[in-house]
Amino acid sequence: MNTSITVQNLKCGGCANTITTKLAELENISEISIDVDNSVVAFSHNNQAEVIAVKERLKTLGYPSVDDDNNLVSKAKSFVSCATGKLSK
């Protein structure tokens, strides 16, 4: 199955690199693609529990879905994730 999630705080390729790297660590998550311009994270999975795991991982990284609260902590986490992604390119 394929799912797309619109996220908050996605600004650049550094963010996309971090998201791709961290989601690839999750079991059964594949074909990860990031549309920076539209803030969309797309991926393949096997079941709904994996979608929930992806949403939680995104939130932990500072990229909550548009349905979640985007507080100062999330914004700070996304800043760190972005910088990490730029450094690891």
Side-chain angles (χ1 to χ4, degrees):
M1 294 182 276
N2 294 315
T3 295
S4 296
I5 300 172
T6 304
V7 298
Q8 301 175 73
N9 305 325
L10 179 55
K11 306 280 188 237
C12 66
C15 299
N17 187 41
T18 295
I19 291 169
T20 301
T21 300
K22 295 299 183 181
L23 293 186
E25 295 171 357
L26 297 174
E27 193 171 329
N28 298 320
I29 302 301
S30 62
E31 299 178 38
I32 302 161
S33 66
I34 313 293
D35 179 348
V36 175
D37 294 334
N38 295 305
S39 297
V40 174
V41 177
F43 56 95
S44 293
H45 58 90
N46 294 331
N47 58 52
Q48 193 60 30
E50 292 163 354
V51 174
I52 293 167
V54 167
K55 281 187 168 186
E56 285 302 313
R57 177 67 59 97
L58 289 168
K59 190 174 183 178
T60 299
L61 293 170
Y63 305 101
S65 74
V66 292
D67 302 330
D68 289 333
D69 182 35
N70 187 23
N71 56 33
L72 186 59
V73 173
S74 289
K75 291 175 185 176
K77 285 180 182 179
S78 72
F79 181 78
V80 172
S81 292
C82 176
T84 302
K86 286 180 180 177
L87 293 173
S88 63
K89 271 187 166 181

